[in-house]
Amino acid sequence: MKWNNPKLKKACLFVTTGALAAVALLGNGPLITVASNTTTNTITSPAGLSAPVRNGPEDVQELLTFADPLFADKMKKFNVAGSNFVVVKDGKVLVSKGYGYADKKKQIPVDSQTVFQIASISKTFTALAAMQLVDQGKIQLDHNIEEYLGGLKIPNKTGKPLTMFDLLTYTSGVDKPDITTYVSPEYVKQDIPTREFLEKHMPTVVRPPGEAYTYDNFAFLLAGYAVENMSGMRYDQYMKKNIFEPLGMKSTSVRFTPELLARLASHYSPAGEFQPLSGHAPTDGPQGSILSTGEDMAQYLLMQLQNGRAGDKQLVSPQSLKQMHTYQTFAEASIPIATVGFEGYYKELMNGHHVVLKGGNMPGHSSLMVLIPEHNTGFYMSYNNDTNMSLEIYEAFMDHYFPETEASPQPAFVELSKEEAKPYTGIYQNTRAFSIRTQFAYENGHLTMEDSTTGKHTLQKINALLFQDELGNKVSFKKGAAGQIQYFYYTSPVGLGVVAESQKMESKPPFADVPSNSKFRTHIDHLQTLGLIQGIGGNRFDPKGTMTQGQFADLLIPAHGWNIFPVAAKANQQQMIQGIPGYHRSKPITRQVAAVMIQNLRQLNVDTKVTLSGSTDAWAVEAVQALVGNGVVDPDTRVQQDGSVHFRSKQLLLRQEACALLDKAFNYYALPIALK
């Protein structure tokens, strides 16, 4: 399945995870102008991109004829102000130029010296630094990472040591991979030491390291700290001495400097609004704080494609570099995910070639680095908004220079019985984006899956661990340490499922005081399985008990599931209580207060045609209408004979009702739900 969905959010999103200079029409369009390094080129928009070149880019003019209208079109589509573009092949820099503006207001063009935050591409530099120390014998990839942390301890519930290899291949198994992701303008001028920060922000290893893939910012921060500790040099100083200076990367830094800030491209939102510069906490961000230019990144690409060599300097051994270019983490044998440091989302876009890549996002900046090692080719780009433009450039580049040489064979499907389907069925939760919960079931002779981001799909079995949906996307399953189906991975370009494998949630014994025929039983069981709600002791739930506003808030935030970033969690806590008079954690919560809190986070469409009976305060009417109009109601809410709905707004919220409202608001794949 080729890239064709503009709603896809970048898999490399969640960092540490567009006046256009070119206005183009693909077709018989007008003359267009493209701002380059120092001059303005005028070209004619062609009727279409030129025919594919099967040997990769070789001729500079042909490359520009391909790239100039492509960037003009995509920058217009994604409202990108400015972008750089670097292409290297066979040890030479073919193109290093800029398009559009680094600063729209001042009309400063992007060129090869424009500085961008490369965000998570920094992870590949951290992996390179770690492999340098492996070459020197200072770090062993398969040893407990705590050996290299100077006494810093990592809580671990699995009994299996966490290693550097696990960190660099995105398989650390920690419960909160973004617990250290602090990005904000307030950190730009602060100096926050890494060790002190880690001591206060430490996740726990809850899955056996190496078992499952999760995009992991914490892992690379910890890996960078190990480099710092074992080298005896602060991370930014190590990178400057051992990577940037040997490569001649004079405009690359882990930290902000006045000289680089003077050349830094402005940051813009997808709508084109100016955004302030954001920094990291801690100050050194091995997971995403590097700044660089197109000229410097060209040298990095060349080293990567020359077995780790730059001139007369061997930065890393060919063996270590090979590990960085070889897939180590797979969802299934046919679905590669990660190397040491790099990744490879969307295998279909590789057109059958071996490709490793890394993307990155900071607020207002995006980057992508792509290597095709077997063809000695690579490209890099950064631009000043956080949209999907880079992936469309990637697809066009691959289709033009490395098209498919032969069509992929169609898989043969095998039957799946109800009994055979049992190991797969149940509820799974994404190990990074906790809001993505997926239900697998057996229906009409097929395995089905449904979640809130991609909808409902029917799956056909290819083999015991690989299925395919009706759109051609693959669903792979993986067994855990106990030999049972424990994870799945979905290759769909819709939603955010690609950021991690999802883990099967263990069903827990039902509460003794919730009758099996209770209309609330399913909702209570769902929230209990997901670990969102607990009983009151002795396997009792107290379904008709009440709760306070604070207790509901503590349940709502994880049910919402977008609390993976500490900054986002804080923002959600503030957002959910907006418009509620006299909110206080100790107050008993009414149904209308719960409705407003849910709507503040869920942002359902308000159905003003919904007629409410009974009494609802004015500040809660729209929220209640939104929930009712979308079917987010508890089983005891009914449509009256006159068509109105009595939501019982001012009654206290019962615990069983809270489960029903939250389950429907955040765990159902399609809204509205029919209200009976």
Side-chain angles (χ1 to χ4, degrees), residues 570-625:
K570 183 177 180 179
N572 287 339
Q573 290 168 353
Q574 296 172 344
Q575 181 180 341
M576 72 178 175
I577 62 175
Q578 290 180 1
I580 300 174
Y583 172 85
H584 195 278
R585 287 184 57 84
S586 64
K587 283 186 178 180
I589 189 168
T590 61
R591 290 170 56 84
Q592 66 179 1
V593 169
V596 173
M597 293 174 71
I598 291 173
Q599 176 62 1
N600 281 343
L601 295 185
R602 187 63 175 83
Q603 294 292 295
L604 297 165
N605 292 327
V606 178
D607 189 349
T608 57
K609 296 180 181 179
V610 170
T611 302
L612 301 177
S613 58
S615 178
T616 300
D617 287 331
W619 50 267
V621 168
E622 285 194 356
V624 174
Q625 287 178 319

Side-chain angles (χ1 to χ4, degrees), residues 97 112 138-139 155 159 217 244 247 282 321 324 446 482 500 545 571 612 639:
K97 68 174 295 184
S112 63
K138 294 180 179 180
I139 289 178
N217 281 307
F244 303 153
L247 287 175
L321 193 72
M324 295 185 67
H446 294 285
L612 301 177
V639 178

Side-chain angles (χ1 to χ4, degrees), residues 7 57 82 114 148 160 202 204 208 232 241 247 279 289 328 348 383 451 461 466 487 493 501 599:
K7 294 184 179 180
T114 303
Y148 312 118
K160 184 180 180 183
M202 187 65 70
T204 299
K241 179 179 179 181
L247 287 175
S289 72
Q328 315 286 342
E348 293 80 4
Y383 51 101
D451 64 40
K461 182 180 176 181
L466 186 63
Y487 307 98
E501 292 181 283
Q599 176 62 1

Side-chain angles (χ1 to χ4, degrees), residues 98-113:
Y99 296 96
Y101 294 108
D103 187 303
K104 296 189 296 183
K105 185 177 181 180
K106 296 179 181 179
Q107 298 282 285
I108 300 173
V110 173
D111 61 27
S112 63
Q113 300 301 310

Side-chain angles (χ1 to χ4, degrees), residues 32 42 56 79 144 184 258 303 420 590 637:
I32 59 176
T42 301
N79 196 25
N144 190 330
S184 173
M303 180 275 298
E420 290 172 327
T590 61
T637 299

Side-chain angles (χ1 to χ4, degrees), residues 329-346:
T329 301
F330 296 80
E332 195 266 347
S334 64
I335 304 175
I337 299 181
T339 73
V340 169
F342 288 97
E343 295 167 288
Y345 294 115
Y346 309 118

